[in-house]
Every structure is written in C-alpha cells, then in structure tokens.
Amino acid sequence: MFRLFYLYFPLFIFILSCEEYANTESIWPPLGSTQEKPVILSVSPPADSAFAGYSTVTIHGENFSSDSGGNAVYMGGVRVELESESSNEIALVAPDVAGDTIVIKVTVDGSLDIASYTYRLQTLSEEYGGFTNADKVRSIAMDMEENLYTMMSDRTVRKIQPNGDWIEFGTTTFPVASEMRIGPNGYLYLQKISQRVLFRIPPVGGEVEEFASFPNTMGGENLKLNSFDFDVNGNIYLGGLGGGLVLLRPDGTIEGVGDHVGFAIKSVRIYNDYVYVAGEDGIYRNQIQNDGLLSAKELIFDWDNAGTYSSSKVKSITFSETGQLFIGTDNSNDSIDPILILSDESVLEPLYPGQLLQPAHHLLWGNDIYMYVNRYKSSNDEIRRVIKVNMLKNGAPYHGRQ
C-alpha cells in the first residue's frame, strides 16, 4: 500500500503544478521616462569669466522641470543649491571648485537621462609668494617677466619667479620702502618711507645704492616722499606727506610741479599722459606737458563723496588698460571692501563684493590679467599676505618696465 503511495505521489504533485492561474500583467517592458530628455544648450557667463565660489551661473537648455525642486545640478561632483529654475533656465552660485574641465550635470524628475556640459571655473584670488605669519612684506614691484620683487622687514629684497621659486635679490640700508618700481634698464627703484632720497638696486641684484637726493623743502614744506612712478619719457614723479609733487628728469634736474603743496600724497600713478595723485582728501590729476611740467590740477574724486567708504583710507591707485581707476584702501571695519572702482559716474563700487579682505596697502598689476595686492600692516598675522587677484582684464602699462 505504502509502496503505491510513494509511486503515485510525485505524479500527483506534477498534475497540480500544471493548473492554470488567472492572467497577470507583465512588468516587461519597464516603465519609461515620463519627462523628455533634458539638454544643456549653453552656460553663462562665458567659461573664461566665471569664478568658483562667487559667480552666478545660468544654465540654458530644454526640458528642465519648471517645478521647484524638480531639477538637481552637480558641478565638479558637488550638488549645488539652485537660485531659480524653469523649463529652460537654471540659475545657481558656482561651488568653490575650480578647474578647466568642470562637468555640469543636470537631472530632472521623471527622466532617466542626464544632461552634461563641460565648463571652466577660475580661482578669484589666492595667496602668492609662499609667505608665512613671520613674514612682513613692506612693498612690491614687478618686471616684464612677471617676477615679483618684495622688500622684507629684514631689509632684504626677494625676487619671486612665476613658478614660486625665489632668491634673495638684494639688501637695503633702511627698514621700509614705501614704494618700489622697476625702472629703465632693469633697475629696481625704492623710495625710503617719508624721506627725500630715492634708491635703486642694479639689474643683477646686490646692495641698494643712492640714486637721487632731493632738497629738504619744496614749496615751503619739509619734503617727505612716499610714492613715485615713471612716465613714457623716463621722468619720475614723486610725492608724499609734504612738499607736493616733485619732478626728477633723466638728466638729474629736479623741480616742484603740479601745485599739490599742502596735500598729503599717498600714491602716484601715470596713465595716458596724466599724473594721478591720491590722498585722504581725494584724487587729482595733471596733464604732462612736453617739458615734463604739468598743467593745472583737476579734481577727479572728492573723498567727501565716498559715502559708505568715507572712513576708508586711500593707500594705492592703479588703472586697467581701458582706464578704470582702482583704489586700494585700509579700514578698521573688516566688513568694508578694500579695493574700490571709480565708475564713469564718479561713484565708488567694490571690486568682487565680500570676497577680499582688508587692507589693500599696495595695488600692483602684472603683465597679464592678475593684480597683486599687498596686505601689509594688517594686525593679523594670518591676513598679512600678498594676494593674486584675477581681474579678467589687463592693466595699464607701467612705463618703467621695459
């Protein structure tokens, strides 16, 4: 009996397994996209003018979600918070990820496809020269090969090459040069702070040597020179806290010019055949005549009209190649931007609002799109550095460089 059971039980199970069940819907093919494939057509601003961690970037395309939160954007692998989104535009602030091949990816709810685009994000500013908390850079200059010269508090002058390597280029007999410029034939010129002697170091480096000595007084004031610049003819215009503006010609003759006696000059810069002088009261200019003498001074900006920046102290000025005037300042209020632009409407505007730290004691444009900023005299050792700032444009010529 049991033998028959074991013989027919497998057959019984087989018959049961052949029973038909009600039809069920197949899960094949899988569910497809409910949203059309997103496409990135372009990105603004252009890749050569966008900064990591600063620029507002707009992605232009098709088939994005118009719902808030319906899109996800990744730049360089970092998911980015969106400022706004629509079916054809997404706006965001670029993440702090710099590089020449930053991949932008956009995913959209309801789509299995990913839109992709290669972009570039540049670095807005960075520390330059390898300085430490123990270093104090008194002044800076640059030659045509983009070598940066820095006078240090130990009375040495460093020459820093573009690759970051540096050598001790020279030595001085005084602790502070308030201004340095590369001049004709590669000499490095140094103005001892609030003094009446201009020094220079030979092109091969070495010890500083006296180049020119000026009278004790000019215009009835004690001469205290702090800043200078070269014009296209090799004339040097010098100014400071007393004695007004002084002309030193290539033949060695010296003459007071420009009617600036009584005006404390902090910075001198030559642009487009004008001598510009800046101080706490404002900025003036004088046109250069054929003999090196100057026309009557012209007020460019009265610091009484500085508004938000009225408490900032002017330290340095320079120009872009198109004539924009940039002003380096110092302010005890760290929330005030240190570098200002004088607009065509004579209004002060900050350069890169909220991105640069006080102070901007020296502004020096290189031979390309970079400006070098000396944060000398900062009371914070961590802040006291030379900063390389991407300006996205070239500076005006420094006529001493050859």
Side-chain angles (χ1 to χ4, degrees), residues 114-401:
I114 300 175
S116 184
Y117 192 95
T118 301
Y119 195 56
R120 180 187 183 196
L121 288 174
Q122 301 190 71
T123 300
L124 188 151
S125 66
E126 59 187 330
E127 292 186 8
Y128 189 80
F131 300 106
T132 69
N133 291 358
D135 293 319
K136 295 181 180 180
V137 178
R138 303 301 195 187
S139 54
I140 57 178
M142 181 159 284
D143 64 21
M144 286 295 291
E145 284 71 48
E146 206 76 4
N147 296 306
L148 181 70
Y149 298 80
T150 62
M151 183 184 177
M152 311 303 295
S153 59
D154 62 359
R155 303 191 180 195
T156 63
V157 176
R158 295 181 186 179
K159 179 180 180 180
I160 303 170
Q161 301 176 51
N163 65 5
D165 295 338
W166 66 271
I167 61 171
E168 183 177 301
F169 177 75
T171 57
T172 73
T173 56
F174 46 89
V176 181
S178 52
E179 189 83 87
M180 295 199 307
R181 305 277 195 208
I182 290 291
N185 302 315
Y187 282 86
L188 177 64
Y189 289 77
L190 306 90
Q191 176 59 57
K192 183 179 178 181
I193 187 169
S194 295
Q195 297 295 320
R196 57 182 187 83
V197 181
L198 182 66
F199 295 85
R200 70 180 185 179
I201 296 176
V204 295
E207 294 185 4
V208 73
E209 58 189 27
E210 184 175 315
F211 175 68
S213 180
F214 299 87
N216 289 325
T217 62
M218 295 287 283
E221 292 184 338
N222 290 331
L223 195 60
K224 298 179 180 180
L225 300 173
N226 277 326
S227 182
F228 66 95
D229 200 9
F230 291 86
D231 74 3
V232 70
N233 296 312
N235 295 310
I236 306 176
Y237 294 87
L238 308 94
L241 301 182
L245 197 63
V246 181
L247 165 63
L248 172 60
R249 295 187 176 91
D251 63 7
T253 57
I254 296 170
E255 191 168 352
V257 293
D259 191 26
H260 293 287
V261 174
F263 177 65
I265 297 173
K266 296 298 183 70
S267 184
V268 179
R269 186 74 172 94
I270 309 297
Y271 175 72
N272 200 25
D273 294 328
Y274 280 86
V275 179
Y276 287 78
V277 296
E280 293 181 1
D281 297 334
I283 301 171
Y284 294 84
R285 73 176 185 179
N286 303 77
Q287 189 171 23
I288 301 173
Q289 308 298 310
N290 292 333
D291 55 1
L293 298 179
L294 302 179
S295 65
K297 66 183 180 183
E298 174 187 356
L299 179 64
I300 297 301
F301 185 76
D302 189 335
W303 208 254
D304 286 341
N305 300 323
T308 303
Y309 309 103
S310 59
S311 60
S312 296
K313 297 179 180 179
V314 177
K315 295 297 181 181
S316 183
I317 58 172
T318 194
F319 290 88
S320 72
E321 65 178 349
T322 58
Q324 274 189 308
L325 175 60
F326 292 79
I327 308 166
T329 68
D330 189 0
N331 196 310
S332 59
N333 184 346
D334 291 337
S335 67
I336 301 295
D337 287 284
I339 303 179
L340 309 175
I341 307 169
L342 184 62
S343 72
D344 293 338
E345 293 75 30
S346 293
V347 175
L348 295 178
E349 300 171 347
L351 171 68
Y352 303 139
Q355 299 300 303
L356 303 172
L357 301 178
Q358 290 281 353
H361 203 84
H362 296 107
L363 302 184
L364 174 69
W365 221 302
N367 302 289
D368 198 353
I369 62 173
Y370 296 102
M371 178 188 287
Y372 298 83
V373 182
N374 185 17
R375 292 202 298 236
Y376 169 54
K377 283 197 172 178
S378 171
S379 58
N380 186 334
D381 292 348
E382 298 284 346
I383 299 299
R384 193 176 56 236
R385 295 289 190 274
V386 174
I387 306 299
K388 181 181 178 180
V389 182
N390 190 335
M391 302 298 291
L392 300 175
K393 64 183 75 173
N394 289 350
Y398 287 85
H399 297 300
R401 298 178 191 169

Side-chain angles (χ1 to χ4, degrees), residues 3-17:
R3 184 180 299 171
L4 290 175
F5 174 79
Y6 286 115
L7 179 63
Y8 289 105
F9 181 74
L11 179 62
F12 175 73
I13 294 300
F14 174 75
I15 293 172
L16 287 177
S17 67

